[in-house]
Amino acid sequence: VAATLALLALIIGLAVGLTRRSSTQNLPLPSANGGPYTGDLTYYAPGLGACGITSQNGDSIVAVSHIIFDAVSVSSNPNLDPLCGKMIRVRKDGKSLDLKVVDRCVGCAARDLDITEDTFAKLADVALGRVKVEWSWLESVPGGASGGG
């Protein structure tokens, strides 16, 4: 009975570990295959972002999903996140913008992005509030970051 319980615990532990690892590998993280991804684009009023940078409306910045921001975290200090300062190219209807990661978006799904209202207006009608875009990383994440994939 003890051997059966130990075996069962081992199987469950492996399953949980494999599930967590595979979900990280499926995230849209910067790598050799850093896109293109499709997600929702929304806008917000920027200020002091998670990377410790204060931004204003119209700045060429982007907040990435908290899911991917946290997946590569190497410190409890979000200013040190490896995604801070990385560049993303966003495309919509033949238009593209290059944006710098300065924040994390807690309301975003893994492939969603949040930008300033004035920047959103360069890609779509602000009245829409949410549009589908294609985006890609322009740089790889540093090798020391966890969750690379």
Side-chain angles (χ1 to χ4, degrees), residues 50 69-84 104 144-146:
F69 191 90
D70 296 347
V72 299
S73 179
V74 294
S75 167
S76 60
N77 181 351
N79 296 352
L80 302 177
D81 194 286
L83 296 184
C84 290
R104 66 193 284 275
S146 64

Side-chain angles (χ1 to χ4, degrees), residues 82-102:
L83 296 184
C84 290
K86 294 295 176 202
M87 297 298 292
I88 289 177
R89 179 165 293 150
V90 179
R91 293 181 192 88
K92 170 96 175 124
D93 298 332
K95 297 178 252 179
S96 70
L97 294 172
D98 292 350
L99 307 169
K100 182 188 290 188
V101 175
V102 299

Side-chain angles (χ1 to χ4, degrees), residues 2-54:
T4 303
L5 289 175
L7 183 59
L8 183 60
L10 178 63
I11 291 170
I12 291 171
L14 285 173
V16 168
L18 291 174
T19 301
R20 286 187 183 153
R21 184 177 303 128
S22 65
S23 67
T24 299
Q25 290 175 346
N26 291 330
L27 291 176
L29 296 171
S31 66
N33 300 315
Y37 303 106
T38 300
D40 287 348
L41 183 71
T42 53
Y43 60 87
Y44 73 114
L48 179 60
C51 295
I53 298 168
T54 300

